[in-house]
């Protein structure tokens, strides 16, 4: 790019020199010729004046007197009225430039100069124009090189940043170069990097969320299948298979819910949901898992605790809280659904040590874990709750208790 810019600028400057320099040279050549001819005419007029003075004084015309007037390298030829021919000056051969003058007393004066003198002056004019043109072209090329470097470096930087972006480094930023057009390209590249980084982060988060949230339905599905294989009672086997099919449906619903969250589904898709029904349904799914772990799972629910929430949100968050109680809690786990003022509350409590006060916000950060877990579940659960205008928090007090607060119907605050 730099070579092309320098080359094109040099050609443009050369064309400008030719377009302007050639006419200027022709004009100057004509001016030099006229100036040389005018000098010869003045020289001839000067000699004619001297001759008139000599003739009026009836004095003889001496070549030595005329020689003082003749320029070096020139020649003067005088033809008197009587036919006398007087030649003064240097002798030369070849083409000559001539100028004629007449005296008042009938003498004729011819001034001659070698054409080589005119050629020398003309050549000096063309040489001067050529040097000026060469200087102009050189200056243009130098300025083009500076401009090419000024434009080339930002473009090379943008190209490097683009290559880094292609290699997966989404933190790269092109920067600011002070050239509006290149800055516009750099800004577009930076915006693209931000969008791609957000898209990739969202996809990675979705993959992490899916792997985390599908673990529980798959575990429950495995338990159902194992139970159906271990029994010889056809009725029990049929019931376990029906439960396995239900777990399959829940697995499909979980995937749909996560896809909706990944696409940033907003409030406006809210439905009315009874938290008590959700608590009993999910407790029934989790109870075999807790039984196998030697833990007890109880449910306490008010009647008709109806909230406005996106489909699947309450169940997803409850699954996270139950999984957290199973993995990190101790003793009996209590699931509670109740009204609390202007909100419906779905809570999960166990007999564990709970969460230290300074960690009650940090525990919901992505990757945060007290016992070496993935740190994804609670972060996802809070994000789901906040997307529906709710909140997930650690309740103050002894023991471990997580509470999901959701809007009641008609609450728009």
């Amino acid at each position: 790019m730099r070579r092309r810019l320098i080359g094109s600028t040099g050609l443009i400057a050369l064309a400008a020199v030719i377009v302007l320099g050639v006419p200027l040279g022709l004009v100057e050549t004509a001016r030099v010729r006229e100036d040389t001819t005018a000098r010869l005419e003045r020289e001839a007029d000067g000699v004619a004046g001297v001759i008139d003075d000599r003739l009026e004084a009836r004095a003889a015309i001496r070549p030595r007197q005329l020689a003082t007037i003749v320029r070096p390298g020139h020649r003067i030829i005088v033809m008197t009225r009587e036919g006398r021919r007087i030649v003064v000056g240097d002798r030369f051969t070849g083409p000559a430039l001539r100028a004629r003058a007449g005296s008042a007393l009938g003498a004729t004066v011819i001034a001659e100069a070698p054409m080589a003198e005119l050629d020398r002056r003309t050549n000096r004019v063309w040489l001067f124009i050529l040097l000026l043109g060469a200087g102009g072209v050189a200056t243009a090329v130098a300025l083009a090189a500076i401009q090419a470097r000024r434009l080339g470096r930002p473009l090379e930087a943008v190209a490097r940043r683009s290559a880094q972006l292609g290699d997966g480094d989404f933190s790269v930023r092109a920067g600011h170069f002070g050239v509006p057009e290149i800055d516009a390209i750099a800004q577009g590249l930076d915006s693209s990097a931000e969008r791609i980084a957000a898209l990739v982060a969202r996809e990675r988060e979705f993959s992490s969320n899916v792997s985390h949230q599908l673990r529980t339905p798959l575990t429950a599905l495995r338990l159902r299948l194992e139970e159906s294989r271990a029994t010889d009672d056809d009725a029990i086997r049929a019931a376990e298979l029906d439960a396995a099919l239900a777990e399959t449906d829940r697995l499909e619903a979980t995937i749909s819910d996560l896809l909706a969250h990944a696409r940033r589904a907003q409030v406006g898709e809210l439905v009315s949901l009874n938290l008590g029904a959700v608590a009993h349904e999910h407790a029934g799914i989790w109870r075999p898992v807790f039984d196998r772990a030697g833990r007890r799972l109880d449910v306490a629910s008010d009647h008709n605790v109806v909230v406005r929430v996106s489909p699947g949100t309450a169940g997803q968050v409850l699954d996270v809280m139950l999984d957290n109680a199973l993995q990190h809690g101790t003793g009996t786990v209590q699931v509670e659904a109740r009204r609390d003022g202007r909100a419906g509350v779905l809570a999960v409590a166990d007999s564990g040590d709970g969460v230290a006060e300074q960690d009650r916000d940090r525990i919901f950060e992505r990757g945060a874990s007290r016992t070496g877990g993935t740190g994804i579940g609670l972060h996802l659960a809070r994000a789901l709750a906040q997307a529906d205008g709710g909140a997930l928090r650690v309740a103050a007090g002894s023991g471990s208790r997580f509470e999901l607060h959701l809007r009641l119907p008609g609450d728009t605050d």
Side-chain angles (χ1 to χ4, degrees), residues 44-124:
D45 288 340
V47 172
V50 172
I51 291 175
D52 284 341
D53 291 340
R54 300 294 296 176
L55 292 177
E56 288 179 356
R58 299 183 182 276
I61 301 174
R62 301 181 183 278
R64 182 178 299 176
Q65 294 173 335
L66 299 179
T68 58
I69 305 173
V70 179
R71 294 176 181 274
H74 291 191
R75 182 174 62 182
I76 296 293
I77 300 175
V78 179
M79 299 292 296
T80 64
R81 187 169 50 184
E82 292 81 9
R84 182 183 173 188
R85 186 172 186 269
I86 303 172
V87 178
V88 181
D90 297 333
R91 294 183 180 275
F92 53 85
T93 58
L97 187 65
R98 293 182 176 85
R100 184 184 297 269
S103 69
L105 299 179
T108 302
V109 180
I110 301 173
E112 295 182 345
M115 192 65 69
E117 178 181 330
L118 177 62
D119 293 340
R120 284 194 301 270
R121 294 189 63 187
T122 302
N123 290 340
R124 282 197 298 269

Side-chain angles (χ1 to χ4, degrees), residues 274-277 279 299-303 305 335-339 345-347:
N274 192 316
L275 290 184
V299 178
S301 173
D302 295 341
H303 295 292
V305 184
V335 179
E336 180 184 5
R338 61 183 176 84
R339 291 176 64 98
V345 179
L346 190 59

Side-chain angles (χ1 to χ4, degrees), residues 4-300:
R4 288 195 295 271
L5 181 58
I6 294 173
S8 61
T9 303
L11 290 176
I12 293 172
L14 181 61
V17 166
I18 293 174
V19 170
L20 298 177
V22 171
L24 178 62
L26 294 176
V27 170
E28 283 296 304
T29 298
R31 187 192 66 78
V32 168
R33 187 180 185 88
E34 290 176 359
D35 182 67
T36 303
T37 302
R39 287 184 179 183
L40 282 176
E41 290 175 351
R42 288 194 297 273
E43 191 174 351
D45 288 340
V47 172
V50 172
I51 291 175
D52 284 341
D53 291 340
R54 300 294 296 176
L55 292 177
E56 288 179 356
R58 299 183 182 276
I61 301 174
R62 301 181 183 278
R64 182 178 299 176
Q65 294 173 335
L66 299 179
T68 58
I69 305 173
V70 179
R71 294 176 181 274
H74 291 191
R75 182 174 62 182
I76 296 293
I77 300 175
V78 179
M79 299 292 296
T80 64
R81 187 169 50 184
E82 292 81 9
R84 182 183 173 188
R85 186 172 186 269
I86 303 172
V87 178
V88 181
D90 297 333
R91 294 183 180 275
F92 53 85
T93 58
L97 187 65
R98 293 182 176 85
R100 184 184 297 269
S103 69
L105 299 179
T108 302
V109 180
I110 301 173
E112 295 182 345
M115 192 65 69
E117 178 181 330
L118 177 62
D119 293 340
R120 284 194 301 270
R121 294 189 63 187
T122 302
N123 290 340
R124 282 197 298 269
V125 168
W126 281 105
L127 179 60
F128 180 70
I129 294 174
L130 180 62
L131 291 177
L132 284 179
V137 173
T139 302
V141 169
L143 293 175
I146 296 173
Q147 186 70 3
R149 182 170 56 187
R150 179 172 177 263
L151 297 177
R153 287 181 176 176
L155 291 176
E156 291 169 358
V158 170
R160 288 195 301 270
R161 303 297 188 274
S162 300
Q164 291 176 278
L165 181 60
D167 292 337
D169 183 4
F170 304 123
S171 64
V172 65
R173 294 295 180 269
H176 181 78
F177 303 100
V179 182
E181 293 79 4
I182 299 179
D183 287 341
I185 296 174
Q187 184 176 2
L189 180 64
D190 292 345
S191 300
S192 299
E194 291 176 0
R195 289 193 296 269
I196 294 173
L199 178 62
V200 172
R202 192 183 309 165
E203 294 299 328
R204 289 174 178 171
E205 181 180 6
F206 173 71
S207 300
S208 300
N209 294 341
V210 167
S211 63
H212 182 275
Q213 291 300 96
L214 295 186
R215 182 180 61 188
T216 300
L218 287 174
T219 301
L221 179 60
R222 181 182 180 85
L223 287 175
R224 297 296 185 183
L225 293 175
E226 289 177 351
E227 292 293 337
S228 64
R229 186 180 65 175
T231 184
D232 294 329
D233 190 323
D234 291 340
I236 295 176
R237 181 181 294 111
E240 292 295 336
L241 289 176
D242 289 339
L245 290 174
E247 286 298 327
T248 303
D249 293 338
R250 192 164 74 92
L251 187 62
E252 182 179 357
T254 297
I255 295 174
S256 298
D257 294 340
L258 290 174
L259 281 172
H261 175 65
R263 292 168 183 163
R264 300 183 181 274
Q266 298 296 324
V267 179
E269 302 176 1
L270 302 183
V271 297
S272 296
L273 187 69
N274 192 316
L275 290 184
V278 174
H280 284 286
E281 178 186 354
H282 284 258
I285 295 170
W286 279 86
R287 193 164 280 117
V289 182
F290 276 85
D291 291 343
R292 176 170 291 192
R295 304 276 297 281
R296 181 178 173 180
L297 178 60
D298 294 332
V299 178

